[in-house]
Amino acid sequence: MALYSEKVMDHFRNPRNVGVIENADGVGEVGNAKCGDIMKMYLKIDDDVISDVKFETFGCGSAIASSSMATELIKGKPVSEAMQLTNKAVAEALDGLPDYKMHCSVLAEEAIRSALDDYYKKKAENEIRDLHDR
Amino acid sequence: MIYADNAATTKMSSRAIETMVSLMKETFGNPSSLYTIGQRAKEVLEQARKDVAEVIGADPREILFTSGGSEADNQAIISAAKIGEKKGKKHIISSAFEHHAVLHTLEKLKKEGYEITLLDVHEDGLVRPEELEAAIREDTCLVTIMYANNEIGTIQPIREIGAICRKHGVLFHTDAVQAIAHVPVNVVDDNIDLLSSSAHKFHGPKGVGFLYAKKGVLLSNLIEGGAQERGKRAGTENVPGIAAMAAALKEAAEHLEENSEKLKKRRDQLIAGLREIPHSALNGDETRRLPGNVNFCFEGIEGESLLLLLDDKGISASSGSACTSGSLDPSHVLLAIGRVHDVAHGSLRLSLGEDVTEEQIHEIIQSVKEVVEYLRSFSPIWRDLMAGKKPFIL
């Protein structure tokens, strides 16, 4: 049996949405180098819909595949829907991950959540600034 | 395909395969049986013992066949511990980067009341004989230091260590699994009392190895039962495997010098090529290392993804990253030589086979360069390092 499913290998070999979004509306980074996994997510959001998403990942095959799949699952979706993304959904979409690699899907969920939190924070700050400007 | 993981296991040699197959077909008897076909198997077994003994400068009666290196390590250490216990000596000295077959056996003994000192292996991956001598106490019963490290390939000053042990009357065991058939080993010249070896590391079959125990060192059984192996290891002998191991060992010993010279040249070409990758570092001393071992850390990437992409390019290698070990920590060997977690995750071990060509070395260099560059292109750590947000470690 292979280490990973065909789908994991496909997303690992040909990761979708790799890169950076300059002046992103939300940026989130989770994990740490000590543990060997870091994921960074960039979101472009228009009218509360995720119009673009990019990622950068330092990590193993399943970490890269999980990042890639997570971006696919939220691209074009409303922010409210993206907030509901679970690690289970990421793992299932990849046709499963080995038990000891499930934390990679958790990291992907957390990275998206962290980027969305950043978006909400920036949005709130902008609204306050707008009020002041008035 | 380029197989560059010979430290994990090797391809069996034709001579070893032929020996094994012909014995399985024709000499299937039990060496303990008294009729002709049994006695023929017994002859094959004893000839293998002579051949193995000759290669390492031992007496055939000092060779015990086992299921491999791990069993030999376990039996050697437990035997020496029991000898020590009888004299009230329960202190054992080893090193921080031994194989787990040694470290886990020592952990078990620790729970049984033994005291364990693990020597530092320094940045170059080498034990210092003077530090060993300073660590020896009145109650030290055993020193166990590997001949050559399985990950970074550094060759320890075994002869000096052995001489110090002899001077202080302490038993000396060495896990020589990576060294036998790759560097010249002589148990008399090297002052070794106990030595472990495994056949599949030198083109022999898996599941067979041997333990050398100097005459007078009383072995304790791990496996009780019949009187095989002078009563020290029960179970019907794996005659085809043992004979194939002896054939592979003889073959390797005959070509040791030429193979070693050739491999060192290839190894050094590979090291020079990989050094061109920025922010990389060789792990372990550059010259005092196994002829076929190359081990690097590359900053900003993770080892498992590196291995998977190299596999796609037809190169089989290994890594000390946490993701390849199934644990959260990277290799204890890399941590022992002072590599921090961040870079230890990005390690690559290439252990070359004797048949590796110069073209293949260039192919490996080119592939590793491409994969490292690709993985760095979307690594957030690499971005931070390049932007000066974090200082480079390598």
Side-chain angles (χ1 to χ4, degrees):
Chain A
M1 203 196 97
L3 179 63
Y4 293 126
S5 71
E6 275 302 314
K7 214 152 203 182
V8 171
M9 287 310 290
D10 176 37
H11 275 261
F12 166 64
R13 290 188 180 118
N14 312 294
R16 282 65 148 174
N17 306 310
V18 174
V20 177
I21 298 175
E22 300 296 341
N23 304 316
D25 298 309
V27 178
E29 185 177 312
V30 295
N32 66 65
K34 194 168 185 280
C35 300
D37 292 304
I38 295 183
M39 282 183 201
K40 195 166 184 178
M41 293 279 174
Y42 302 84
L43 303 176
K44 180 97 189 102
I45 297 171
D46 295 307
D47 297 329
D48 277 343
V49 169
I50 297 170
S51 56
D52 198 11
V53 49
K54 296 263 188 249
F55 81 90
E56 289 183 308
T57 290
F58 159 85
C60 60
S62 65
I64 291 169
S66 295
S67 317
S68 166
M69 181 53 87
T71 60
E72 286 245 292
L73 291 174
I74 62 159
K75 199 169 176 180
K77 298 277 163 63
V79 169
S80 56
E81 207 175 305
M83 276 303 269
Q84 306 301 317
L85 180 79
T86 63
N87 80 295
K88 238 183 113 198
V90 174
E92 273 169 15
L94 287 168
D95 290 341
L97 286 172
D99 280 351
Y100 69 104
K101 295 286 191 177
M102 281 305 283
H103 73 273
C104 293
S105 62
V106 174
L107 217 55
E109 175 196 320
E110 287 173 357
I112 301 247
R113 191 79 35 92
S114 162
L116 287 168
D117 285 349
D118 183 54
Y119 162 67
Y120 281 123
K121 212 178 114 205
K122 279 181 182 152
K123 198 178 162 191
E125 280 167 5
N126 286 341
E127 279 165 6
I128 291 167
R129 202 173 304 131
D130 286 349
L131 283 174
H132 277 288
D133 289 349
R134 262 178 241 161
Chain B
M1 191 196 105
I2 305 174
Y3 182 73
D5 202 15
N6 287 275
T9 195
T10 57
K11 182 179 166 183
M12 275 180 76
S13 74
S14 306
R15 207 193 285 183
I17 293 172
E18 281 155 23
T19 302
M20 203 159 170
V21 170
S22 99
L23 285 168
M24 285 192 285
K25 281 183 180 162
E26 287 142 34
T27 316
F28 61 87
N30 187 322
S32 299
S33 301
L34 57 80
Y35 40 78
T36 311
I37 193 139
Q39 288 307 298
R40 207 179 296 148
K42 176 89 178 160
E43 277 167 28
V44 169
L45 183 69
E46 294 316 314
Q47 185 57 48
R49 203 182 305 278
K50 270 189 203 148
D51 291 344
V52 167
E54 199 187 327
V55 170
I56 63 164
D59 186 279
R61 284 169 299 179
E62 297 172 317
I63 302 297
L64 182 91
F65 294 122
T66 68
S67 65
S70 292
E71 185 189 333
D73 280 340
N74 274 256
Q75 189 164 11
I77 292 168
I78 286 166
S79 299
K82 286 196 177 153
I83 295 168
E85 192 180 19
K86 282 186 200 143
K87 299 177 189 160
K89 296 180 171 188
K90 292 181 80 171
H91 175 237
I92 299 171
I93 301 170
S94 188
S95 83
F97 74 167
E98 294 296 312
H99 191 274
H100 285 123
V102 169
L103 288 178
H104 290 175
T105 305
L106 294 177
E107 278 297 313
K108 192 167 91 174
L109 288 171
K110 199 173 167 184
K111 286 186 191 127
E112 292 171 18
Y114 287 81
E115 224 184 299
I116 314 293
T117 300
L118 296 182
L119 298 173
D120 189 1
V121 290
H122 301 266
E123 262 182 49
D124 54 11
L126 295 165
V127 165
R128 303 291 188 265
E130 61 276 16
E131 288 177 10
L132 165 74
E133 187 154 32
I136 293 178
R137 313 189 312 210
E138 279 292 300
D139 63 342
T140 305
C141 62
L142 171 69
V143 169
T144 171
I145 304 283
M146 68 202 321
Y147 210 110
N149 184 268
N150 49 312
E151 288 185 33
I152 61 171
T154 49
I155 301 167
Q156 304 306 313
I158 290 298
R159 197 164 291 189
E160 281 175 82
I161 291 170
I164 291 167
C165 292
R166 193 116 326 152
K167 184 174 127 193
H168 292 270
V170 177
L171 286 177
F172 175 42
H173 165 250
T174 185
D175 172 341
V177 167
Q178 295 289 336
I180 293 286
H182 301 284
V183 292
V185 174
N186 184 293
V187 291
V188 177
D189 296 343
D190 291 345
N191 308 300
I192 297 165
D193 297 311
L194 294 150
L195 174 146
S196 314
S197 180
S198 175
H200 75 106
K201 306 293 190 183
F202 50 78
H203 307 287
K206 290 164 185 66
V208 56
F210 67 88
L211 169 61
Y212 154 81
K214 190 179 156 69
K215 193 168 170 278
V217 177
L218 182 68
L219 291 177
S220 306
N221 286 51
L222 295 184
I223 303 172
E224 303 292 346
Q228 293 89 352
E229 299 298 291
R230 302 165 73 87
K232 296 302 171 195
R233 205 268 185 187
T236 300
E237 302 88 340
N238 172 8
V239 178
I242 290 167
M245 166 169 72
L249 183 56
K250 264 179 78 173
E251 192 179 2
E254 280 161 20
H255 301 106
L256 194 142
E257 218 168 300
E258 51 177 295
N259 280 338
S260 170
E261 283 315 305
K262 189 187 142 191
L263 269 179
K264 277 183 195 167
K265 212 174 125 194
R266 301 274 182 268
R267 173 197 72 190
D268 294 342
Q269 285 171 335
L270 184 52
I271 290 173
L274 295 181
R275 273 213 172 116
E276 289 171 9
I277 297 174
H279 304 287
S280 65
L282 178 72
N283 292 313
D285 191 84
E286 192 171 341
T287 54
R288 281 171 289 182
R289 67 189 304 130
L290 290 169
N293 177 289
V294 173
N295 191 315
F296 265 81
C297 278
F298 303 105
E299 196 159 8
I301 61 152
E302 193 280 331
E304 191 208 79
S305 30
L306 173 62
L307 294 190
L308 291 171
L309 292 174
L310 285 177
D311 187 30
D312 281 351
K313 290 176 181 284
I315 298 168
S316 316
S318 107
S319 168
S321 89
C323 278
T324 55
S325 70
S327 83
L328 286 175
D329 282 321
S331 133
H332 71 289
V333 173
L334 297 176
L335 297 178
I337 61 165
R339 292 281 184 233
V340 294
H341 282 66
D342 305 41
V343 295
H345 287 298
S347 79
L348 175 68
R349 178 185 72 183
L350 295 154
S351 42
L352 307 172
E354 292 80 2
D355 55 353
V356 72
T357 63
E358 198 168 338
E359 291 71 44
Q360 288 178 323
I361 295 293
H362 292 305
E363 201 181 322
I364 296 173
I365 294 169
Q366 193 51 37
S367 297
V368 175
K369 278 183 178 171
E370 283 170 20
V371 173
V372 169
E373 196 177 326
Y374 166 70
L375 288 171
R376 280 174 173 173
S377 76
F378 62 96
S379 158
I381 296 188
W382 186 251
R383 172 174 299 281
D384 286 352
L385 290 166
M386 293 303 279
K389 286 185 194 164
K390 272 200 307 192
F392 281 102
I393 298 166
L394 303 178

